[in-house]
Amino acid sequence: MVARAICYNIWFLIQIVFLCATFSSLPESTNAQELHDFSFLRDTTISCQDIDGTFLSFGFAGGMNSCQYGAIDLDGDLVKDIIVFDRHGNRILPFIRKSAGLHGYVYAPGYARYFPPLEHWMQLIDYNNDGKEDIFTYTTGGIKVYRNNGIGVPEFEQVSHPYLRSLQGPSFTNILVTYADYPAINDIDGDGDLDILTFWGLGSFLELHRNMSVEKYGNSDSLDFIRTETCWGMFAEGEDSDLITLDTCRNAKSEAANHFFSTRDGDPKHTGSTIMAVDLDGDLDKDLVMGDVDYPALKALWNGGNNAQASINSVDQTFPEGMEPIDLVSFPAACLLDVNGDGMSDLLVSPFDPGLTRSESKQSSWLYLNSGTTSSPVFNLQAKDFLQGEMFDFGSGSYPVAADLDGDGLQDLLVGNYGYLDSSYYETGHILRCNYKSRLAYIHNTGTATEPSFKLITNDYANLSDYKIIAAYPAVADLDGDGDADMLVGNADGSFVFFENIAGSGIQPIYSNPVFNYQSLDVGDFSTPQLIDLDQDGLVDLLSGKRDGQLSYYRNTGSANDPVFTLVTEALGSVDVTDQALSYYGFSTPCFFKGNDLKWRLFVGSESSGIVYYKHISDNIGGTFTREEAPLQKIREGLRTSVAVINANADSYPDMVIGNYAGGLVFYCGIPPLPIGVKETMPLSEFQVSVFPNPASDRIHINIDRSINSDKIRIEIFRIDGSQCFNKSFKPIDNELIIPVIEFIDGIYICKIILQNEGGEILHEAYCRLSIAR
């Protein structure tokens, strides 16, 4: 049985063992403290299988679309782990390396909380040579830098305010990097500090911003830049193509960095490129690997010059050379890191296009292993879905719905999506267009009532791909009164497609030919239906989200055997999940469900507001619903979220599955509601703690919130029967503790973390569930 290991604060299993006595000792004000209606903790340990039965190591990691990669030691074991940053949703996915090889990683989302908010792009580079990777990332107007001051785990401090500047001519000006550019940050001149190559904002020439840290201070600690060249490498990129013109702009070089280009009609206009500076031929100067907007491949630009004066003298239009060059439809970005632990840098490539519908999204993480050397690499394609292939990933977008499709009493998952890339073409003016085609995925719950397990049965349920639908969103209910579950599918044009189930109840559905433009209903754009009896009159009604962020309500004015959906309102409950500061649209995806009080609750997925929680619905259908939390529990799982409420473990707390535009799924299990806020006078309060790996085999790392001060940390570990098997106190020298568990037998344990003052008084407590499995 796969143990479901979840950790941050109080897990419901430990209430019996510990919390009755604890709660009885709290002050009266604590017992009366208001609680959240729901609380959730992320669960990454549920068993997941692919169609062929292969177990997915990172099943509920959430998918990958447009990624950059970085190597950093996350857990303090002096081994480099991997951070994946997906710009489609600005998501951070941490992977801990537990052993050498391609499959030696463990997904550890708890480490994401150590990172600041990032957007558009990220590079992890140790600029001050202290052995800890720092963050270079996009900010409005250029580049933002965070220095890593952490011990054991990362701790980032912003050191650029608000962005990096460079001496350009007479004054210091921001180093311009647009959201459509991925700069090369490397030691370009070979002096030991990091320089920056980036395209001039209005042209197709590379600027070199040279770091003067070593020259001025004798070390690489500083970020002190001067623009020394405005046409590094003596080449230009085409205005509306990826054509490279060599031996050009020779008069542009300026040792004193006081030359400025003036724009003229016909000058090349830069539209976006990715740059990686790397020595490809072992001659100790930097060559370039470049990707370009609207083009599918990388190209290599070979430097025939030297560190002091670069000169690009040849171009390979496909990189790397070999049997299968990169083909990602548009805008590939490359980076180097040692993926398999052999000491040599491998090549990782993923789309960089900021558009959501202009690139490959199902196989979008290409790995080329280095069979050469670090100085003269030879790259061979290993996988097109590195890490991604071990997740549930359904291309662009994922819209989960919980339903018992086979009548076995367990809730399965039916997952729609925006689509998989079907084809691409260029319009007049070399404008790239991509066609996508939606599918439905059927994920069968093969577990038990208390321990879910999910297996992908098909990624083209009901042969939906035959009908060329975009943004398919499913809803399931008996619409014709014959006792089986029919299906209604929303889509990008705002209408609905009806699939009648003719199989009968209790068996797998068989659908007749679809009925398009069902009842001529139309919500505008991007219909996302849900079929429930909202007004409790015994007839199934139709609710639908839509692109404008509101909800449409169609009441069933027909019968159980012959429904007639009549529009009541296009703004049900005054719900609107559009965040006007970030987007013109809301892309609402509703999930109504009943709480333990049998009253309706509502979770709504959105374009950029996360999951928004509404209540006060059941007796207020014609009124305004109460917006309770946005985002729910501060959970953010990317762009265009959707949510399915599911009871996966037969307890009294709802679980949920969240989809996002990266095409993946994330599972959150329900736990006892946590307090809203914390009173300063309370002797116990929640604090963040994470335990990794979980499940564990030989040792665990316990990371404790650095904002918490205490004189002593005590760790107690209990078996599930309540018997204690570990009890030890530590000095809080470091907020990461390593506990050996090699002698523990396999099973489930409760870990209790206690923070005390010098006199032994308890300041804070937290609990987590720990699994030992070998």
Side-chain angles (χ1 to χ4, degrees):
M1 182 176 68
V2 177
R4 302 172 59 213
I6 300 175
C7 187
Y8 275 109
N9 293 306
I10 303 175
W11 176 255
F12 74 93
L13 289 177
I14 61 176
Q15 286 185 333
I16 298 175
V17 181
F18 301 115
L19 298 188
C20 290
T22 302
F23 287 165
S24 65
S25 65
L26 294 178
E28 183 177 350
S29 60
T30 302
N31 292 326
Q33 189 176 8
E34 186 180 359
L35 301 177
H36 285 283
D37 293 330
F38 306 101
S39 289
F40 298 93
L41 290 176
R42 187 167 184 165
D43 191 341
T44 62
T45 65
I46 294 174
S47 174
C48 300
Q49 291 177 266
D50 210 341
I51 292 177
D52 60 2
T54 303
F55 283 93
L56 300 173
S57 301
F58 323 126
F60 284 109
M64 295 165 58
N65 271 9
S66 180
C67 297
Q68 300 123 46
Y69 313 81
I72 185 173
D73 182 9
L74 294 171
D75 56 359
D77 63 356
L78 304 181
V79 175
K80 297 298 183 185
D81 309 300
I82 289 181
I83 285 289
V84 178
F85 171 70
D86 191 340
R87 77 177 302 184
H88 283 182
N90 295 325
R91 298 164 54 243
I92 296 172
L93 290 80
F95 294 87
I96 301 295
R97 188 201 294 274
K98 303 309 298 181
S99 61
L102 297 181
H103 302 287
Y105 292 94
V106 174
Y107 179 51
Y111 286 97
R113 68 187 178 92
Y114 293 106
F115 286 76
L118 307 175
E119 57 179 331
H120 292 303
W121 60 266
M122 169 209 76
Q123 295 186 40
L124 292 177
I125 310 171
D126 179 11
Y127 81 83
N128 56 359
N129 289 318
D130 64 353
K132 295 175 289 190
E133 281 71 24
D134 311 296
I135 296 175
F136 290 72
T137 188
Y138 172 83
T139 190
T140 302
I143 302 173
K144 180 165 51 177
V145 182
Y146 293 89
R147 185 177 60 223
N148 184 355
N149 300 323
I151 300 174
V153 295
E155 182 179 298
F156 294 105
E157 174 190 2
Q158 185 175 346
V159 293
S160 60
H161 301 283
Y163 38 58
L164 287 182
R165 293 180 173 88
S166 173
L167 182 60
Q168 303 179 50
S171 61
F172 279 92
T173 308
N174 59 303
I175 301 174
L176 178 64
V177 178
T178 73
Y179 76 97
D181 281 306
Y182 190 72
I185 304 174
N186 206 319
D187 183 6
I188 304 299
D189 57 7
D191 66 353
D193 52 24
L194 288 180
D195 312 301
I196 297 173
L197 282 174
T198 185
F199 275 98
W200 184 44
L202 297 177
S204 296
F205 310 106
L206 276 183
E207 295 183 338
L208 173 62
H209 296 269
R210 187 181 177 196
N211 193 349
M212 304 304 292
S213 180
V214 168
E215 287 78 5
K216 288 185 176 182
Y217 314 113
N219 57 55
S220 62
D221 286 355
S222 299
L223 297 167
D224 189 339
F225 295 96
I226 179 173
R227 188 182 64 183
T228 58
E229 298 187 45
T230 52
C231 190
W232 184 91
M234 302 301 169
F235 74 95
E237 187 180 44
E239 175 181 356
D240 55 4
S241 73
D242 66 344
L243 178 67
I244 300 296
T245 303
L246 302 179
D247 195 28
T248 187
C249 59
R250 284 197 171 274
N251 295 327
K253 182 174 174 62
S254 174
E255 297 291 351
N258 58 5
H259 178 85
F260 291 88
F261 286 111
S262 61
T263 60
R264 304 179 305 274
D265 291 341
D267 276 354
K269 304 298 188 293
H270 178 63
T271 55
S273 296
T274 64
I275 317 168
M276 180 176 70
V278 57
D279 184 2
L280 293 173
D281 51 11
D283 64 354
L284 303 181
D285 59 27
K286 292 298 187 291
D287 310 295
L288 298 182
V289 175
M290 290 181 53
D292 197 77
V293 65
D294 288 355
Y295 288 87
L298 291 172
K299 51 186 175 287
L301 282 66
W302 300 89
N303 186 358
N306 52 46
N307 286 336
Q309 184 169 343
S311 177
I312 300 301
N313 60 6
S314 65
V315 179
D316 288 343
Q317 290 297 329
T318 56
F319 176 85
E321 295 181 347
M323 295 179 61
E324 196 160 4
I326 290 157
D327 183 1
L328 284 168
V329 182
S330 177
F331 217 175
C335 72
L336 295 173
L337 58 88
D338 181 7
V339 170
N340 57 0
D342 65 356
M344 291 188 297
S345 294
D346 307 301
L347 177 68
L348 283 163
V349 187
S350 188
F352 188 70
D353 202 304
L356 299 182
T357 58
R358 291 163 55 88
S359 60
E360 174 62 62
S361 55
K362 172 57 178 173
Q363 292 187 317
S364 57
S365 181
W366 288 37
L367 168 64
Y368 290 80
L369 292 181
N370 185 0
S371 61
T373 65
T374 299
S375 59
S376 296
V378 177
F379 296 115
N380 300 292
L381 181 63
Q382 177 68 28
K384 295 182 179 181
D385 57 359
F386 174 62
L387 300 176
Q388 179 185 35
E390 298 186 65
M391 308 174 188
F392 288 133
D393 190 309
F394 305 109
S396 296
S398 56
Y399 314 131
V401 172
D404 181 7
L405 293 177
D406 59 354
D408 65 356
L410 301 178
Q411 288 186 297
D412 310 304
L413 294 172
L414 190 59
V415 186
N417 70 349
Y418 179 85
Y420 296 91
L421 180 68
D422 182 61
S423 60
S424 62
Y425 62 96
Y426 291 104
E427 288 184 344
T428 303
H430 204 83
I431 299 173
L432 177 68
R433 299 296 185 209
C434 294
N435 295 321
Y436 291 79
K437 189 183 293 185
S438 285
R439 298 184 186 181
L440 295 177
Y442 168 37
I443 303 177
H444 183 214
N445 186 348
T446 60
T448 66
T450 58
E451 195 74 31
S453 178
F454 294 99
K455 180 181 179 181
L456 178 62
I457 303 302
T458 177
N459 62 9
D460 196 12
Y461 186 72
N463 297 315
L464 192 79
S465 64
D466 292 345
Y467 307 113
K468 298 181 180 180
I469 294 173
I470 298 175
Y473 194 106
V476 176
D478 182 4
L479 290 180
D480 54 10
D482 63 356
D484 56 23
D486 308 300
M487 183 168 64
L488 199 64
V489 177
N491 62 91
D493 70 13
S495 67
F496 301 91
V497 184
F498 175 58
F499 290 79
E500 181 185 358
N501 183 0
I502 58 176
S505 62
I507 60 176
Q508 284 285 355
I510 300 173
Y511 298 106
S512 61
N513 291 331
V515 177
F516 288 85
N517 196 26
Y518 177 66
Q519 296 192 15
S520 299
L521 305 174
D522 190 341
V523 301
D525 297 291
F526 289 88
S527 50
T528 57
Q530 186 179 11
L531 295 166
I532 59 169
D533 183 7
L534 182 64
D535 59 2
Q536 303 292 281
D537 66 351
L539 301 177
V540 173
D541 305 307
L542 169 61
L543 294 307
S544 182
K546 46 194 175 176
R547 187 170 67 169
D548 69 6
Q550 301 183 86
L551 300 183
S552 291
Y553 169 35
Y554 296 87
R555 185 171 179 267
N556 187 350
T557 58
S559 66
N561 299 326
D562 187 17
V564 175
F565 294 112
T566 302
L567 179 65
V568 176
T569 177
E570 294 180 335
L572 178 66
S574 299
V575 169
D576 189 347
V577 296
T578 303
D579 185 342
Q580 298 288 351
L582 299 175
S583 175
Y584 293 114
Y585 303 112
F587 287 93
S588 53
T589 57
C591 182
F592 287 88
F593 66 99
K594 289 186 177 180
N596 293 332
D597 57 3
L598 301 182
K599 293 184 178 180
W600 287 117
R601 301 288 195 272
L602 172 62
F603 292 164
V604 188
S606 67
E607 166 86 342
S608 52
S609 299
I611 306 300
V612 184
Y613 170 37
Y614 292 87
K615 63 179 184 179
H616 298 147
I617 299 168
S618 294
D619 301 321
N620 187 34
I621 293 176
T624 298
F625 303 162
T626 301
R627 184 169 170 136
E628 192 71 9
E629 285 186 90
L632 174 70
Q633 303 283 281
K634 299 183 180 179
I635 294 170
R636 292 195 178 273
E637 289 296 345
L639 195 65
R640 294 196 188 175
T641 52
S642 58
V643 59
V645 171
I646 180 172
N647 191 345
N649 52 13
D651 62 15
S652 59
Y653 308 107
D655 311 305
M656 64 178 177
V657 178
I658 298 176
N660 59 44
Y661 199 78
L665 301 173
V666 181
F667 192 97
Y668 281 84
C669 70
I671 61 171
L674 297 174
I676 298 175
V678 179
K679 296 181 182 297
E680 293 182 0
T681 57
M682 288 175 58
L684 304 180
S685 65
E686 62 175 290
F687 64 97
Q688 289 186 322
V689 58
S690 55
V691 174
F692 295 98
N694 201 347
S697 58
D698 56 350
R699 63 178 181 171
I700 58 173
H701 295 253
I702 301 178
N703 296 326
I704 299 172
D705 188 345
R706 288 181 169 272
S707 65
I708 300 297
N709 295 316
S710 65
D711 297 307
K712 184 166 37 176
I713 302 172
R714 190 167 82 248
I715 306 298
E716 300 177 0
I717 301 178
F718 298 81
R719 298 180 181 90
I720 198 64
D721 63 3
S723 59
Q724 190 177 84
C725 54
F726 185 88
N727 188 337
K728 186 175 180 180
S729 293
F730 300 84
K731 287 289 185 181
I733 300 174
D734 192 333
N735 282 10
E736 181 183 55
L737 306 176
I738 300 176
I739 309 296
V741 295
I742 189 67
E743 296 183 359
F744 288 25
I745 62 173
D746 288 8
I748 298 173
Y749 296 78
I750 305 301
C751 185
K752 182 178 182 181
I753 300 95
I754 306 167
L755 306 188
Q756 297 173 290
N757 62 18
E758 192 65 40
E761 180 185 0
I762 296 175
L763 304 174
H764 306 273
E765 285 183 359
Y767 301 83
C768 70
R769 187 182 181 191
L770 170 67
S771 175
I772 306 298
R774 300 178 178 89

